[in-house]
Amino acid sequence: MVTIAAGRARHLALQRAGLAAGTARPDLHAVALMDPEQQVSGVDGLTTATTTVPVPPTGLPLAAARNAGAALALDAGAELLVFLDVDCVPATALLQRYAAAAATHPGALLAGPVAYLDPPPPGGYRLDSLAGTPHPARPVPPDGEVVAEERTELFWSLSFAVTADAWRRTGGFHPGYSGYGAEDTDFALVARAAGVGLHWVGGALAHHQHHGPSGATTAHAADIVRNAHVFHDRHGWWPMSGWLAELAATGVVTFDPAAGVCALGTVAGGPSSGGPGVDVVS
């Protein structure tokens, strides 16, 4: 099991409790930390290894951290890598379902459904009463079924699994991404080109813990624009077009894909953040 973390100590603690309570436990929980001061508390039944990834000025190195966590697991002899974001809690059968799917589809990129939790009640979430709402834009196959997916852009890195051999074929995440957005779509496209196609795994459920806003927020605008340029340079088209359009509608971003313009823009009534081009956020 590979998790990347920068803070989110309570999220990580509940995730690790969920791993320990599963019908199958990971042989190793490899945690890649993007905070040199962060500590990982021990949990009975979990063997843990940690590594620390330097954070560049451009933002959290999510792609590089996933690669570092995978390297830690592979060095320990892992044959199956299961990635779970720090804000996700595994359902009891998550690891068991991923392992079964990997046995029948060893060359696939395996993704389980993610259910979004309401804000926690007083005292926090309880493992025995987690009940969320699955993302409406992604399939939720019946328990135990593995379903091929042609829409590679639906892949997300919240929860997925891949055999060690298939991971090596992908080359891992492109480390040119930092901060928020696009590294997972890039990874899925590269994986598909390497013959590692996306499949959904019924029953490999993760619960997403509620937290502050994400997606097309002003705080992520610089990351989204910068990473969109990295992606465009590699693949020839603009990712995150919905988010970019939302940000453009507020004036935070200038986005004109036909003209090849994607840049931090002018907020209505405020100063310009720069003209067209990636240089505005370099």
Side-chain angles (χ1 to χ4, degrees):
M1 179 68 68
V2 177
T3 302
I4 63 175
R8 301 282 180 91
R10 292 183 64 182
H11 286 170
L12 181 60
L14 187 61
Q15 179 190 95
R16 287 170 55 76
L19 289 174
T23 54
R25 293 177 177 176
D27 296 302
L28 177 71
H29 190 197
V31 184
L33 299 169
M34 295 171 284
D35 177 354
E37 304 300 322
Q38 187 167 356
Q39 302 293 316
V40 179
S41 299
V43 173
D44 288 345
L46 284 186
T47 300
T48 307
T50 63
T51 186
T52 302
V53 182
V55 178
T58 48
L60 293 177
L62 307 180
R66 290 194 183 97
N67 292 345
L72 192 63
L74 292 171
D75 286 346
E79 297 177 357
L80 175 65
L81 302 173
V82 179
F83 293 77
L84 198 62
D85 271 7
V86 69
D87 51 13
C88 290
V89 182
T92 55
L94 176 140
L95 191 58
Q96 185 179 355
R97 294 295 183 268
Y98 271 140
T104 57
H105 298 74
L109 178 59
L110 304 167
V114 177
Y116 284 76
L117 298 171
D118 291 332
Y125 295 116
R126 291 174 52 93
L127 285 178
D128 59 1
S129 60
L130 297 178
T133 302
H135 194 287
R138 285 169 172 81
V140 183
D143 189 10
E145 289 193 12
V146 181
V147 179
E149 176 62 81
E150 295 298 323
R151 297 168 294 174
T152 307
E153 69 278 4
L154 291 183
F155 171 76
W156 53 3
S157 51
L158 285 176
S159 172
F160 72 98
V162 65
T163 64
D165 288 343
W167 170 262
R168 293 186 181 99
R169 285 162 58 191
T170 70
F173 285 80
H174 181 61
Y177 295 97
S178 61
Y180 195 81
E183 84 284 350
D184 46 2
T185 304
D186 183 296
F187 175 76
L189 290 175
V190 171
R192 182 177 65 181
V196 183
L198 177 61
H199 290 63
W200 298 105
V201 181
L205 175 67
H207 300 281
H208 184 277
Q209 302 178 67
H210 187 273
H211 58 77
S214 58
T217 65
T218 300
H220 292 309
D223 295 350
I224 290 171
V225 169
R226 182 182 58 252
N227 286 340
H229 277 271
V230 174
F231 186 99
H232 188 272
D233 289 346
R234 285 169 54 78
H235 301 287
W237 52 277
W238 296 106
M240 305 179 287
S241 58
W243 288 353
L244 288 165
E246 288 180 35
L247 291 168
T250 65
V252 174
V253 162
T254 301
F255 182 52
D256 184 349
V261 175
C262 176
L264 291 180
T266 303
V267 178
S272 172
S273 297
V278 71
D279 288 344
V280 297
V281 290
S282 63

